Amino acid sequence: MAELRALVAVKRVIDYAVKIRVKPDRTGVVTDGVKHSMNPFCEIAVEEAVRLKEKKLVKEVIAVSCGPAQCQETIRTALAMGADRGIHVEVPPAEAEHLGPLQVARVLAKLAEKEKVDLVLLGKQAIDDDCNQTGQMTAGFLDWPQGTFASQVTLEGDKLKVEREIDGGLETLRLKLPAVVTADLRLNEPRYATLPNIMVSPWPVGTEGLGVASTLPAQCPPVVARGEGRIQRRSHAQEAVTWSLADRESLLGHLCQY
Amino acid sequence: MATATRLLGWRVASWRMRPPPAGFVSQRAHSLLPVDDAINGLSEEQRQLRQTVAKFLQEHLAPKAQEIDRSNEFKNLREFWKQLGNLGVLGITAPVQYGGSGLGYLEHVLVMEEISRASGAVGLSYGAHSNLCINQLVRNGNEAQKEKYLPKLISGEYIGALAMSEPNAGSDVVSMKLKAEKKGNHYILNGNKFWITNGPDADVLIVYAKTDLAAVPASRGITAFIVEKGMPGFSTSKKLDKLGMRGSNTCELIFEDCKVPAANILGHENKGVYVLMSGLDLERLVLAGGPLGLMQAVLDHTIPYLHVREAFGQKIGHFQLMQGKMADMYTRLMACRQYVYNVAKACDEGHCTAKDCAGVILYSAECATQVALDGIQCFGQTLSAQHPPGREGETQGQTSLEQVSTARELSCKILLPELTPRVLLPQLASRISDQKLPFLKILLCSPTPLGQSSLAGFTKLRWPYPLLQPHLLPHPYTTALHLC
């Protein structure tokens, strides 16, 4: 089954060892001059994809990241670990702060369809927002089966056997491909990119929309008002989110289909 | 197990079923500051190299650095060396056909910097292995020697070292007395070497010996040999208990009728001085990455601390003096970085000058001492000699202290013996006294033998020194010395 293609989503977050400081004006945490790196759960997802490739079960591993220009470093790390291609969905820094799981999930769903991948791998959550939503939402948009909090992933014919860690213990699911899997801590131990890999790994500029065409603001319809006691997030709807993708029209259509 | 399941529910049972994952970092690694490699002029691959190596070391070396320094021993040295070999950083300048990475000196400096950032002592051992031993073999060895020794040295199975200093020949290295007499197809070595980094652990050593003691000038009688650990007549003495760079094992080598095959001559007979001197330039360049890493480590510890510690109702990082120190530390580091990286780039392009290779280690080691002293001042009262692990401010302060002594040792150990033939000792002494390191001046200007074998005295003696009188020294340095 070596015709499978995997899409791995990676996120650039503040490094796990950094002592987080709140900004003096209390609008968030200090991110300037602070070390960032790939989300640890995303590293585990990349490692799993690369292991599947080494076992010849997956033909191609594509790493994708949504965010400002610095995300390219994260994609490079994924390439050095063994991914074949990288896609950077460029988001201007101003809007990047308001980028949430919903938007990212829409982008991933669109990309998964466009690239015709069979497996979407993500980390179960990001260590900066701890949302634990992107994988599930992506599966929802794609209408694909999902295996979240995976601690073991095995390919059996055309089915994916996923062992999940849930509150009550371990659950085994068999998913029909194509599917979405999110990685938990005990899935594997990520490798360090070796020096030869770092130097050899090219930066394949088959990136969707890196050559920026004119950007169009996409207006999403307003979100339903939240009740009290919920996390007060700035409503995504009111912000103008600019995207730069080759097929922005179809994406627009998708986005506004709220 | 069944009882636990029944009493506490499946939640606990399932957790207890699973062993903790092998790579789970149980203690909080120390946080690193981001390094602006755009200013440093590094390419994408070099930035990636720095990040990968830093991440690996943050998880595998940084947690052990304190213990290594305290006990003067790196317990899992061999295993760690193999991990470095797997990463591909041991043979950075070696050709790919022997397992090396075929890269240049700038990459080597970057890795040296990152390892020193995690632990200065291990950085020195790494430099001795990868540059002093492996690079010398690459540059001067013949095919047979490269094929025999390089693969295992690069994979981390063997540890390498280089031996040129003797008890009475430090700065004046060409006056070495280790004798090598030709006997048929072998050479018999008699004498000893001192201050040999990696000496206790090395499997392969490059040793400089005098094949012609009567040569005029004396340098014409030196030959370089490759000595293996098991060769008859070769032994090492006990590990030295040093002031700084603790954990980088250093010892004396003893040659008693040591039999070395003639095939193990590196270069040509009586032409060893060319191997020695040209190697020294590149050694200084690569080891200049050590002080860079030390300075970065001081910043890594100090800057977060300044943002956290409060005094007089505000974070101490807001006070002007602390901000001045932050600026001084950062600018010194960045200035040294540009110098070192540029000289490394020039060497990669084939333009390697002795003056600048010596200049980079001189300047960066001196700056590192200054930066470490500034760092100690920033920590102030939180410094303490004995502290329980886990109290992060004190841990960081202690690390700062190690860095002072390490930086000082580096500047003395590497800088002085090689540079003093070129830079007159009194000039150096006066320059150091300007930089408020009075104890060093005392050592240098004192009558022989302590002053002349400056390194020997300085690195060997532990506190309290017979020469140093703490009540005569200015206060901050007294504090620092008491705690060393």
Short mmCIF file of all heavy atoms in Angstrom, two decimals, chain B residues 413-453:
data_model
loop_
_atom_site.label_atom_id
_atom_site.label_comp_id
_atom_site.label_asym_id
_atom_site.label_seq_id
_atom_site.Cartn_x
_atom_site.Cartn_y
_atom_site.Cartn_z
N LYS B 413 44.14 28.49 29.63
CA LYS B 413 44.69 27.21 29.18
C LYS B 413 45.01 27.25 27.70
O LYS B 413 46.04 26.80 27.27
CB LYS B 413 43.66 26.12 29.47
CG LYS B 413 44.21 24.76 29.21
CD LYS B 413 43.26 23.69 29.72
CE LYS B 413 43.94 22.34 29.56
NZ LYS B 413 43.08 21.24 29.60
N ILE B 414 44.05 27.73 26.94
CA ILE B 414 44.25 27.67 25.50
C ILE B 414 45.06 28.86 25.03
O ILE B 414 45.96 28.73 24.23
CB ILE B 414 42.88 27.72 24.78
CG1 ILE B 414 41.95 26.64 25.33
CG2 ILE B 414 43.07 27.59 23.30
CD1 ILE B 414 42.35 25.27 24.97
N LEU B 415 44.71 29.99 25.59
CA LEU B 415 45.25 31.23 25.05
C LEU B 415 46.72 31.39 25.35
O LEU B 415 47.52 31.62 24.48
CB LEU B 415 44.43 32.38 25.65
CG LEU B 415 45.12 33.72 25.82
CD1 LEU B 415 45.39 34.29 24.48
CD2 LEU B 415 44.23 34.61 26.64
N LEU B 416 47.03 31.26 26.63
CA LEU B 416 48.36 31.70 27.01
C LEU B 416 49.50 30.87 26.44
O LEU B 416 50.44 31.43 25.90
CB LEU B 416 48.46 31.79 28.54
CG LEU B 416 47.73 33.02 29.09
CD1 LEU B 416 47.60 32.95 30.57
CD2 LEU B 416 48.44 34.28 28.66
N PRO B 417 49.43 29.56 26.53
CA PRO B 417 50.63 28.84 26.08
C PRO B 417 50.88 29.03 24.60
O PRO B 417 52.01 29.07 24.15
CB PRO B 417 50.35 27.38 26.39
CG PRO B 417 48.90 27.30 26.49
CD PRO B 417 48.42 28.62 26.96
N GLU B 418 49.80 29.14 23.83
CA GLU B 418 50.02 29.27 22.39
C GLU B 418 50.35 30.69 21.99
O GLU B 418 51.10 30.92 21.07
CB GLU B 418 48.77 28.80 21.62
CG GLU B 418 48.66 27.31 21.53
CD GLU B 418 48.06 26.70 22.78
OE1 GLU B 418 47.31 27.40 23.46
OE2 GLU B 418 48.33 25.54 23.05
N LEU B 419 49.74 31.62 22.68
CA LEU B 419 49.93 32.99 22.24
C LEU B 419 51.20 33.62 22.78
O LEU B 419 51.74 34.54 22.20
CB LEU B 419 48.74 33.86 22.67
CG LEU B 419 47.72 34.12 21.58
CD1 LEU B 419 46.76 35.20 22.02
CD2 LEU B 419 48.35 34.52 20.28
N THR B 420 51.66 33.13 23.95
CA THR B 420 52.79 33.84 24.55
C THR B 420 54.06 33.81 23.71
O THR B 420 54.83 34.74 23.82
CB THR B 420 53.08 33.36 25.97
OG1 THR B 420 52.88 31.96 26.03
CG2 THR B 420 52.16 34.04 26.94
N PRO B 421 54.29 32.82 22.86
CA PRO B 421 55.45 33.02 21.98
C PRO B 421 55.27 34.24 21.11
O PRO B 421 56.21 34.85 20.67
CB PRO B 421 55.47 31.76 21.12
CG PRO B 421 54.78 30.74 21.92
CD PRO B 421 53.77 31.47 22.74
N ARG B 422 54.01 34.57 20.82
CA ARG B 422 53.77 35.71 19.95
C ARG B 422 53.46 36.99 20.69
O ARG B 422 53.69 38.06 20.20
CB ARG B 422 52.59 35.40 19.01
CG ARG B 422 52.96 34.27 18.14
CD ARG B 422 51.74 33.61 17.54
NE ARG B 422 52.16 32.28 17.16
CZ ARG B 422 51.65 31.58 16.18
NH1 ARG B 422 50.66 32.05 15.52
NH2 ARG B 422 52.09 30.40 15.89
N VAL B 423 52.88 36.86 21.84
CA VAL B 423 52.54 38.05 22.61
C VAL B 423 53.35 38.02 23.88
O VAL B 423 53.33 37.04 24.59
CB VAL B 423 51.04 38.06 22.95
CG1 VAL B 423 50.67 39.25 23.78
CG2 VAL B 423 50.22 38.02 21.69
N LEU B 424 54.06 39.06 24.14
CA LEU B 424 54.94 39.03 25.30
C LEU B 424 54.14 38.94 26.58
O LEU B 424 53.12 39.58 26.75
CB LEU B 424 55.82 40.28 25.33
CG LEU B 424 56.83 40.38 24.19
CD1 LEU B 424 57.55 41.70 24.23
CD2 LEU B 424 57.84 39.23 24.29
N LEU B 425 54.64 38.16 27.48
CA LEU B 425 53.94 37.90 28.73
C LEU B 425 53.63 39.16 29.51
O LEU B 425 52.53 39.33 30.00
CB LEU B 425 54.77 36.93 29.57
CG LEU B 425 54.02 36.00 30.51
CD1 LEU B 425 52.89 35.31 29.81
CD2 LEU B 425 54.97 34.99 31.09
N PRO B 426 54.57 40.09 29.65
CA PRO B 426 54.26 41.30 30.44
C PRO B 426 53.13 42.10 29.83
O PRO B 426 52.28 42.62 30.54
CB PRO B 426 55.57 42.10 30.40
CG PRO B 426 56.61 41.13 30.05
CD PRO B 426 55.97 40.07 29.23
N GLN B 427 53.09 42.16 28.49
CA GLN B 427 52.02 42.92 27.86
C GLN B 427 50.68 42.32 28.20
O GLN B 427 49.72 43.00 28.50
CB GLN B 427 52.18 42.91 26.34
CG GLN B 427 53.27 43.81 25.84
CD GLN B 427 53.36 43.76 24.33
OE1 GLN B 427 52.51 43.14 23.68
NE2 GLN B 427 54.37 44.38 23.78
N LEU B 428 50.65 41.00 28.15
CA LEU B 428 49.41 40.30 28.45
C LEU B 428 49.01 40.54 29.89
O LEU B 428 47.86 40.78 30.21
CB LEU B 428 49.61 38.81 28.20
CG LEU B 428 48.37 37.97 28.07
CD1 LEU B 428 47.54 38.47 26.93
CD2 LEU B 428 48.76 36.54 27.82
N ALA B 429 50.02 40.49 30.77
CA ALA B 429 49.74 40.66 32.19
C ALA B 429 49.14 42.03 32.43
O ALA B 429 48.18 42.19 33.16
CB ALA B 429 51.01 40.47 33.00
N SER B 430 49.70 43.04 31.78
CA SER B 430 49.18 44.39 32.03
C SER B 430 47.78 44.52 31.48
O SER B 430 46.92 45.15 32.07
CB SER B 430 50.10 45.44 31.43
OG SER B 430 50.08 45.32 30.04
N ARG B 431 47.53 43.86 30.35
CA ARG B 431 46.19 43.96 29.78
C ARG B 431 45.17 43.29 30.69
O ARG B 431 44.07 43.76 30.88
CB ARG B 431 46.17 43.31 28.40
CG ARG B 431 44.89 43.61 27.67
CD ARG B 431 44.90 43.27 26.22
NE ARG B 431 46.17 42.93 25.70
CZ ARG B 431 46.38 41.90 24.90
NH1 ARG B 431 45.41 41.11 24.57
NH2 ARG B 431 47.58 41.65 24.44
N ILE B 432 45.57 42.17 31.24
CA ILE B 432 44.64 41.46 32.11
C ILE B 432 44.41 42.26 33.38
O ILE B 432 43.31 42.31 33.91
CB ILE B 432 45.16 40.05 32.41
CG1 ILE B 432 45.01 39.21 31.15
CG2 ILE B 432 44.42 39.42 33.56
CD1 ILE B 432 45.55 37.84 31.27
N SER B 433 45.46 42.92 33.88
CA SER B 433 45.25 43.67 35.12
C SER B 433 44.29 44.82 34.86
O SER B 433 43.52 45.19 35.71
CB SER B 433 46.57 44.18 35.67
OG SER B 433 47.00 45.26 34.90
N ASP B 434 44.32 45.37 33.64
CA ASP B 434 43.36 46.42 33.31
C ASP B 434 41.95 45.90 33.40
O ASP B 434 41.03 46.62 33.69
CB ASP B 434 43.58 46.94 31.87
CG ASP B 434 44.88 47.71 31.76
OD1 ASP B 434 45.38 48.12 32.82
OD2 ASP B 434 45.38 47.86 30.65
N GLN B 435 41.82 44.63 33.10
CA GLN B 435 40.48 44.08 33.12
C GLN B 435 40.10 43.55 34.47
O GLN B 435 39.24 42.71 34.61
CB GLN B 435 40.37 42.97 32.07
CG GLN B 435 40.64 43.53 30.69
CD GLN B 435 40.00 42.73 29.64
OE1 GLN B 435 39.45 41.69 29.92
NE2 GLN B 435 40.07 43.19 28.41
N LYS B 436 40.80 43.98 35.47
CA LYS B 436 40.41 43.70 36.85
C LYS B 436 40.44 42.22 37.18
O LYS B 436 39.55 41.69 37.80
CB LYS B 436 39.00 44.26 37.14
CG LYS B 436 38.96 45.77 37.00
CD LYS B 436 37.57 46.27 37.28
CE LYS B 436 36.64 45.95 36.16
NZ LYS B 436 35.34 46.60 36.31
N LEU B 437 41.49 41.55 36.73
CA LEU B 437 41.66 40.16 37.15
C LEU B 437 43.00 40.10 37.87
O LEU B 437 43.96 39.56 37.37
CB LEU B 437 41.65 39.22 35.94
CG LEU B 437 40.32 39.15 35.21
CD1 LEU B 437 40.44 38.34 33.94
CD2 LEU B 437 39.25 38.53 36.10
N PRO B 438 43.02 40.69 39.03
CA PRO B 438 44.31 40.86 39.69
C PRO B 438 44.99 39.55 40.05
O PRO B 438 46.20 39.45 40.03
CB PRO B 438 43.97 41.66 40.95
CG PRO B 438 42.54 41.47 41.15
CD PRO B 438 41.94 41.23 39.82
N PHE B 439 44.19 38.54 40.38
CA PHE B 439 44.83 37.29 40.79
C PHE B 439 45.59 36.67 39.64
O PHE B 439 46.61 36.07 39.80
CB PHE B 439 43.80 36.31 41.36
CG PHE B 439 42.56 36.24 40.56
CD1 PHE B 439 42.44 35.34 39.53
CD2 PHE B 439 41.50 37.10 40.83
CE1 PHE B 439 41.29 35.28 38.79
CE2 PHE B 439 40.35 37.04 40.09
CZ PHE B 439 40.24 36.14 39.07
N LEU B 440 45.10 36.86 38.45
CA LEU B 440 45.79 36.31 37.29
C LEU B 440 47.12 37.01 37.10
O LEU B 440 48.14 36.42 36.78
CB LEU B 440 44.90 36.48 36.06
CG LEU B 440 45.31 35.69 34.84
CD1 LEU B 440 45.49 34.25 35.21
CD2 LEU B 440 44.24 35.81 33.78
N LYS B 441 47.10 38.34 37.34
CA LYS B 441 48.33 39.10 37.18
C LYS B 441 49.36 38.63 38.20
O LYS B 441 50.54 38.51 37.90
CB LYS B 441 48.03 40.58 37.37
CG LYS B 441 49.25 41.42 37.09
CD LYS B 441 48.98 42.89 37.29
CE LYS B 441 50.27 43.65 37.02
NZ LYS B 441 50.19 45.03 37.39
N ILE B 442 48.89 38.35 39.40
CA ILE B 442 49.81 37.89 40.44
C ILE B 442 50.52 36.63 39.95
O ILE B 442 51.73 36.49 40.05
CB ILE B 442 49.05 37.59 41.75
CG1 ILE B 442 48.52 38.88 42.34
CG2 ILE B 442 49.95 36.88 42.74
CD1 ILE B 442 47.55 38.67 43.46
N LEU B 443 49.72 35.73 39.39
CA LEU B 443 50.30 34.47 38.93
C LEU B 443 51.32 34.70 37.83
O LEU B 443 52.38 34.12 37.80
CB LEU B 443 49.20 33.55 38.42
CG LEU B 443 48.45 32.77 39.49
CD1 LEU B 443 47.32 32.01 38.86
CD2 LEU B 443 49.39 31.83 40.19
N LEU B 444 50.92 35.57 36.89
CA LEU B 444 51.77 35.74 35.72
C LEU B 444 53.07 36.43 36.07
O LEU B 444 54.12 36.14 35.51
CB LEU B 444 51.03 36.55 34.66
CG LEU B 444 49.93 35.80 33.95
CD1 LEU B 444 49.12 36.74 33.10
CD2 LEU B 444 50.51 34.71 33.08
N CYS B 445 53.00 37.40 36.97
CA CYS B 445 54.18 38.19 37.23
C CYS B 445 55.02 37.62 38.35
O CYS B 445 56.08 38.16 38.67
CB CYS B 445 53.78 39.63 37.57
SG CYS B 445 52.96 40.37 36.17
N SER B 446 54.57 36.58 38.97
CA SER B 446 55.37 36.04 40.07
C SER B 446 56.59 35.34 39.48
O SER B 446 56.59 34.92 38.33
CB SER B 446 54.54 35.06 40.89
OG SER B 446 54.30 33.91 40.13
N PRO B 447 57.64 35.19 40.29
CA PRO B 447 58.87 34.58 39.76
C PRO B 447 58.62 33.12 39.41
O PRO B 447 57.68 32.51 39.89
CB PRO B 447 59.87 34.73 40.91
CG PRO B 447 59.04 34.96 42.12
CD PRO B 447 57.79 35.62 41.67
N THR B 448 59.49 32.61 38.57
CA THR B 448 59.41 31.19 38.19
C THR B 448 59.44 30.32 39.42
O THR B 448 59.99 30.72 40.45
CB THR B 448 60.59 30.82 37.31
OG1 THR B 448 61.76 31.36 37.91
CG2 THR B 448 60.41 31.40 35.94
N PRO B 449 58.95 29.13 39.45
CA PRO B 449 58.33 28.48 38.31
C PRO B 449 56.85 28.78 38.15
O PRO B 449 56.30 28.54 37.10
CB PRO B 449 58.51 26.98 38.61
CG PRO B 449 58.52 26.91 40.10
CD PRO B 449 59.11 28.18 40.59
N LEU B 450 56.22 29.33 39.18
CA LEU B 450 54.77 29.42 39.10
C LEU B 450 54.33 30.37 37.98
O LEU B 450 53.38 30.11 37.27
CB LEU B 450 54.20 29.88 40.44
CG LEU B 450 52.71 29.63 40.61
CD1 LEU B 450 52.39 28.17 40.40
CD2 LEU B 450 52.25 30.06 41.97
N GLY B 451 55.05 31.47 37.84
CA GLY B 451 54.63 32.42 36.82
C GLY B 451 54.86 31.89 35.42
O GLY B 451 54.05 32.06 34.53
N GLN B 452 55.97 31.23 35.25
CA GLN B 452 56.33 30.78 33.91
C GLN B 452 55.44 29.64 33.46
O GLN B 452 54.94 29.63 32.35
CB GLN B 452 57.80 30.33 33.85
CG GLN B 452 58.77 31.48 34.04
CD GLN B 452 58.55 32.58 33.05
OE1 GLN B 452 58.45 32.34 31.86
NE2 GLN B 452 58.43 33.80 33.53
N SER B 453 55.25 28.70 34.35
CA SER B 453 54.32 27.64 33.97
C SER B 453 52.95 28.10 34.43
O SER B 453 52.33 27.50 35.28
CB SER B 453 54.72 26.30 34.59
OG SER B 453 54.76 26.41 36.00
#
